[in-house]
Amino acid sequence: MNRSFSAVAYGVAIAAGTVLFAIGPFGRQGGQSPVAAAEQQAPAPSAVSANGATLRSINLDFPDSNRMFEGLGAEVVNTNCLACHSAGMVLTQPRLSRVAWQAEVEKMRNTYKAPVDAADVPAIIDYLATLPR
């Protein structure tokens, strides 16, 4: 095993064990864990480093996973595209031409082996190429 990888894995395991121990039932006084008491006193760090590895806190906004495509032609897109993509992910893409959407759909079918019937491709492209922005 790569020595630097095992050092990082060891450091992460130690950090995780420390966190789990700190939030466990050990050492609680008055029903509050030492971690909770420390959080009230100081904000959590946005980065933690150990053994050459740095873990950073980030905020992410994920697309709504329950969202569906709407309007005329949406059924074929919901049936074929939502198996792998959220509607939010597709709807936040830059506006693409019909030719560009054709290439994207063909890439999904041929490269990524998406189970999209060839008969559905024109309707999918029509829908995606006419999305309002």
Side-chain angles (χ1 to χ4, degrees):
M1 184 186 307
N2 183 322
R3 190 172 180 91
S4 64
F5 175 75
S6 65
V8 169
Y10 177 74
V12 170
I14 294 299
T18 302
V19 168
L20 290 175
F21 178 78
I23 63 175
F26 308 106
R28 288 190 180 183
Q29 297 175 359
Q32 189 175 36
S33 73
V35 171
E39 286 176 351
Q40 289 176 355
Q41 296 172 358
S46 61
V48 176
S49 296
N51 295 325
T54 300
L55 304 175
R56 298 185 198 304
S57 297
I58 61 171
N59 291 321
L60 297 175
D61 291 324
F62 290 103
D64 182 6
S65 63
N66 296 324
R67 189 171 177 188
M68 307 262 307
F69 294 98
E70 299 175 353
L72 185 63
E75 184 177 336
V76 70
V77 180
N78 286 325
T79 301
N80 286 285
C81 302
L82 292 182
C84 298
H85 304 286
S86 70
M89 190 283 289
V90 175
L91 294 170
T92 58
Q93 298 303 307
R95 185 169 178 85
L96 298 176
S97 68
R98 183 174 297 282
V99 171
W101 277 119
Q102 174 78 38
E104 287 299 310
V105 172
E106 290 304 324
K107 177 176 66 176
M108 296 302 138
R109 292 183 70 237
N110 298 323
T111 303
Y112 298 113
K113 307 301 181 202
V116 175
D117 190 318
D120 290 340
V121 171
I124 292 170
I125 293 166
D126 286 344
Y127 183 86
L128 295 173
T130 59
L131 284 173
R133 297 288 176 202

